[in-house]
Amino acid sequence: MRYILGVDGGGTKTTCLLANEEGCILKRIVSGPSNPESVGEKKAKENLSQAIKTTLKGQKVEVICLGLAGVDLPEDAEKAYRFVKRLKVAKKIIVENDGIIALSGATVCKPGVVVSAGTGAIVFGLNKAGEKTRASGWGYILGDEGSGYDIARRGIIAAIKALDGRGENTSLLNKIPQYFNQPSIISVALWVYSSDFQLDKMAGLSPVITEAAREGDKVAQEVIREAAKELALAAGAVIKNLRMEKDEFEIACTGGVFKAKGLILSTFKSEVKKIAPQSKVIFPKFSAASGAVLMGLKEAGVELKGKVLKNISSRRMSLRAERNVIASRRRSNLKVLYTSSLDPSGNSKEDT
């Protein structure tokens, strides 16, 4: 029996999934972040190495596929490849940006587009020729249009304009200060420019804007529409650059922004249909970590159909794999946040 290790390394956590060649998930480890931009290169390597070693415990796999945040350039991928190769845990190593494994999970390794809109926003695409490209994802200062942060920023600006008399009156004048526990929109503006500013807290305002839009606030509705159009614009750029306008393919929407569905999803759908009429907007079939497993299985020559996909998506298996045992231990200064495992027969057992 051959084994595959899929790794989803992000700015908040690193998820490892160990699977056999039949697609059965045997172990799941969630540990600390492995994005150098978040925790520094040294800590990122430490977290990634320990996550892999904790998952495998000396076992070697046929393929390890890693989707890592921060791997944006060929030299980034090469550096990560060399690091993992020194661990001597796999016969074959695949290193991609985490957006690529998200796409693979969303479409089961088929050509398509994935639009990720959470705190930030980025779009990845893959065409029939195997060509890949991306759009957006340039950070909250220069980009990430359509993200949770962008929606929050637009909402605050709209409220300030209403306060000044430069814009239409809006319920956001009251809702935004309430969210931040501030007395007024002016206090919110001062917080944005202060040293206490937190990106995640700012992005967390997005559902408040969505709620106001649902309640009929025209200003909030326009904020949501503009965000959706920006996400569609980025998706359209990827589609055009990959010459997919006339193709049939799936566009997977992922991230907290799309969980709101409603106005943002309907506007996004209508906009992308103008560019690619035969495309289909979906929610991902599998997680990014599962996407890494799927890429590893494909590299190993396993056909991604039938029993393999059923095993990966099996309710029985996934429930057990998600039954995480909180482990507050530390190994080499790394806290293993969650562990769960299944033996090859499918029986659940704690990893202690």
Side-chain angles (χ1 to χ4, degrees):
M1 183 68 73
R2 297 179 300 170
Y3 297 90
I4 308 295
L5 183 64
V7 181
D8 177 13
T12 57
K13 64 181 180 180
T14 300
T15 302
C16 292
L17 290 181
L18 177 65
N20 63 21
E21 61 186 331
E22 294 179 345
C24 297
I25 305 299
L26 307 177
K27 183 178 285 189
R28 178 179 185 266
I29 294 287
V30 182
S31 64
S34 51
N35 183 354
E37 295 174 6
S38 299
V39 293
E41 185 173 338
K42 182 179 179 181
K43 188 64 177 177
K45 286 182 175 179
E46 178 186 326
N47 287 351
L48 180 61
S49 173
Q50 195 61 56
I52 292 170
K53 290 177 180 178
T54 301
T55 306
L56 296 181
K57 292 186 175 179
Q59 179 182 355
K60 290 191 176 183
V61 296
E62 183 73 15
V63 182
I64 179 171
C65 177
L66 306 99
L68 304 175
V71 174
D72 299 316
L73 301 171
E75 48 265 39
D76 298 327
E78 179 61 28
K79 185 185 293 185
Y81 177 89
R82 290 197 303 268
F83 174 73
V84 175
K85 188 176 181 179
R86 287 196 294 270
L87 299 179
K88 298 180 180 180
V89 294
K91 293 180 182 179
K92 298 178 182 179
I93 302 168
I94 302 170
V95 178
E96 292 283 2
N97 182 278
D98 58 343
I100 296 298
I101 62 169
L103 174 60
S104 297
T107 65
V108 191
C109 294
K110 293 177 182 177
V113 173
V114 62
V115 183
S116 179
T119 299
I122 193 166
V123 180
F124 280 92
L126 173 73
N127 66 13
K128 291 183 288 188
E131 298 172 312
K132 297 175 287 189
T133 193
R134 58 167 275 187
S136 193
W138 298 110
Y140 74 99
I141 295 176
L142 300 177
D144 286 358
E145 295 88 350
S147 66
Y149 173 85
D150 184 52
I151 290 172
R153 183 185 65 84
R154 290 171 185 267
I156 293 172
I157 290 172
I160 290 171
K161 284 185 174 181
L163 178 70
D164 287 348
R166 294 180 291 136
E168 189 176 344
N169 192 35
T170 170
S171 63
L172 297 178
L173 269 170
N174 294 320
K175 287 181 178 291
I176 292 173
Q178 286 173 7
Y179 166 79
F180 288 109
N181 196 27
Q182 295 284 352
S184 68
I185 195 67
I186 294 173
S187 300
V188 173
L190 293 174
W191 171 80
V192 169
Y193 286 107
S194 75
S195 59
D196 294 329
F197 172 78
Q198 297 174 19
L199 182 62
D200 288 347
K201 188 173 182 180
M202 175 83 160
L205 174 65
S206 175
V208 176
I209 313 297
T210 302
E211 178 189 21
R214 282 202 189 106
E215 292 172 353
D217 188 300
K218 293 181 180 179
V219 173
Q221 288 174 349
E222 185 58 24
V223 168
I224 298 299
R225 284 194 197 94
E226 288 303 311
K229 288 177 181 178
E230 286 289 353
L231 292 170
L233 182 65
V238 167
I239 291 166
K240 290 174 182 177
N241 288 335
L242 292 174
R243 305 174 302 283
M244 297 171 69
E245 297 99 314
K246 298 179 180 180
D247 294 348
E248 290 184 21
F249 62 92
E250 293 174 328
I251 302 174
C253 299
T254 182
V257 167
F258 283 113
K259 287 180 181 178
K261 299 182 181 179
L263 183 60
I264 194 154
L265 189 60
S266 61
T267 304
F268 176 81
K269 283 181 177 179
S270 65
E271 291 295 317
V272 295
K273 282 288 186 179
K274 296 175 185 177
I275 303 162
Q278 297 189 75
S279 64
K280 181 181 179 182
V281 176
I282 65 164
F283 285 103
K285 295 179 175 68
F286 296 101
S287 68
S290 296
V293 171
L294 288 166
M295 289 181 68
L297 288 168
K298 186 177 181 180
E299 179 67 23
V302 176
E303 288 190 85
L304 303 180
K305 63 180 184 179
K307 183 180 179 181
V308 171
L309 295 183
K310 185 178 179 180
N311 284 338
I312 292 178
S313 63
S314 167
R315 185 70 175 162
R316 178 178 66 88
M317 296 291 283
S318 64
L319 276 174
R320 289 178 178 174
E322 291 297 327
R323 194 179 296 153
N324 299 319
V325 180
I326 299 176
S328 57
R329 63 193 174 187
R330 286 184 178 272
R331 295 178 179 173
S332 302
N333 298 318
L334 168 69
K335 179 179 284 188
V336 178
L337 302 178
Y338 308 105
T339 70
S340 165
S341 64
L342 299 171
D343 64 30
S345 66
N347 296 316
S348 181
K349 60 180 182 179
E350 293 185 2
D351 177 24
T352 56

